[in-house]
Amino acid sequence: MLQITNLHANVGDKPILKGLTLSLNAGEIHAIMGPNGAGKSTLGYVLSGRPGYEVTEGSVTFNGQDLLALEPHERAAAGLFLGFQYPVEIPGVSNVQFLREALNAQRKYRGEAPLTGGEFLKVAREQAGALGMDMDMLKRPVNVGFSGGEKKRNEMVQMGIIDPALAILDETDSGLDIDALRVVGDGINRIMRKPDKAVLLITHYQRLLDYVKPDFVHVLDGGRITRTGGAELALELERDGYKELAA
Amino acid sequence: MSAPTRHNEAWRYSDIAAVEAAWPLPAPESIIVPAGGTFARTIIQDSGTIHQLDIAIGKGATAAIHVLNIGGDYGRVELNVTLHEGADFKLGAVQIGGGSQTLEVITTVTHAEPGATSSQIVRSVLAGTATGTYLGKVAVARDAQQTDSVQSVKAMLLDRSATANAKPELEIYADDVKCAHGCAIGELDAMGLFYLQARGITPADAKKLMLQAFVAGVFEGAADEEALTEAALAKLGDLV
């Protein structure tokens, strides 16, 4: 589904990704762990097309398409979803308005009919309910006044409504208490653990992986993948640290 | 009397050539709101004209003016308001300019007597090499105690080649007053735009959404709120 080959990327003038190669197949859940500054968030931003992040070498294919040739909104319509590490506040624009426009923009791009107001509210209510958010929260401006944990759960509500093919979740577990962690973990499993979907979990800590068991764990260090293993690699890293296991 | 020049503070940012061409101007429209009365007016300036109003608001009376300043090469809305005891004045103004338009809202609000309230909310969105200006003087007379006045002025520059001018001016001679004033001039939040696009919204629609939010609320309470909002959104659509 996703083939990243020898990806080099700069943030401004600074090289961060230095030859990253990674493949994800449909039905797989991958975790990326690594020390601070390794380039984990950079990978997420490069894949979703954030301005200021320049690819200097390499290629990315998503379901056969050249991902890097697409604009951010086109990548979203193609089925890519980035769960932000720091979800953005947008004063004055309600969650409901934002998501309905986003979903219908994607559907339009794909040649699908838009959802009516009523149809959309039904989907929104279901997804919000499943993540313990009530409709009142959805009527408020995007992420304004939300706690860190609420912002992360709101990302999952958005993921449920948009229902992407590939979710790249950037430190989705940071800022979550024990209960929220379970709710988010269950949400990821419910929405994304499907044979035609894939997930790339970017995470610092092992604990989310207790709830969302990965098929593969990769270590991103110095802008490249230095090690790949199964789920047990995350436990080794937790126990021994990144330095010990440096390639 | 000859046309003003840039040395006249109230015309400092105006399109002087356009002013000279329009000079001499007719006398300002004079409106007297009787004690206890209400007055409301909507001004949609969309053809490059100069509107000047003098409004005297009597004891306990209210006046609400809503302005949408969007059209022509040069558009100016000038309000000279005097408040008597316990009177209330509200201004909600939106200016949207592109190309090389020059748009301005110039107000002088005089709290001549005690206990009056005034509130001015101005939002400008400017693109291209347009210039949008708000000059707002609030004068509080020596005996005008318990004055409560608010000025909230924000401008959004869609291009760095555009210009916004904001000059709230307070001349206060009483000592038991509230005169709040806030100004901000900025750009659309790049992370906000990226977040919207990362969810599938096109760059132009992302800007429109955020700009809609930026001008929202200014026309609340106007009789033709819907028409004003529609016209504002249409002009914003042209700009992005």
Side-chain angles (χ1 to χ4, degrees), chain B residues 59-138:
Chain B
K59 275 196 186 16
T62 66
I65 311 276
H66 293 95
V67 173
L68 179 59
N69 192 9
I70 49 176
D73 288 331
Y74 173 58
R76 177 186 179 92
V77 176
E78 197 176 333
L79 306 174
N80 195 350
V81 181
T82 306
L83 292 155
H84 293 279
E85 189 172 354
D88 176 72
F89 171 65
K90 274 192 184 46
L91 168 67
V94 171
Q95 306 195 91
I96 306 172
S100 56
Q101 288 180 286
T102 302
L103 302 170
E104 48 197 26
V105 169
I106 316 290
T107 66
T108 307
V109 175
T110 305
H111 285 253
E113 291 180 6
T117 47
S118 66
S119 146
Q120 299 179 67
I121 301 175
V122 182
R123 300 285 179 263
S124 303
V125 179
L126 301 157
T129 56
T131 298
T133 300
Y134 168 75
L135 305 179
K137 177 170 172 177
V138 172

Side-chain angles (χ1 to χ4, degrees), chain A residues 15-55:
Chain A
I16 303 285
L17 299 180
K18 301 172 183 171
L20 192 149
T21 295
L22 182 63
S23 291
L24 269 76
N25 294 314
E28 292 174 356
I29 297 192
H30 293 240
I32 292 198
M33 304 179 75
N36 281 332
K40 301 191 300 298
S41 288
T42 297
L43 177 60
Y45 288 138
V46 168
L47 292 175
S48 55
R50 180 175 165 187
Y53 288 68
E54 193 201 341
V55 172

Side-chain angles (χ1 to χ4, degrees), chain A residues 36-89:
Chain A
N36 281 332
K40 301 191 300 298
S41 288
T42 297
L43 177 60
Y45 288 138
V46 168
L47 292 175
S48 55
R50 180 175 165 187
Y53 288 68
E54 193 201 341
V55 172
T56 52
E57 210 185 317
S59 66
V60 181
T61 316
F62 177 48
N63 280 332
Q65 275 190 303
D66 177 1
L67 186 69
L68 303 176
L70 299 178
E71 296 290 311
H73 67 285
E74 296 173 329
R75 301 185 196 195
L80 191 142
F81 178 93
L82 175 68
F84 280 59
Q85 182 177 7
Y86 304 107
V88 185
E89 295 189 12

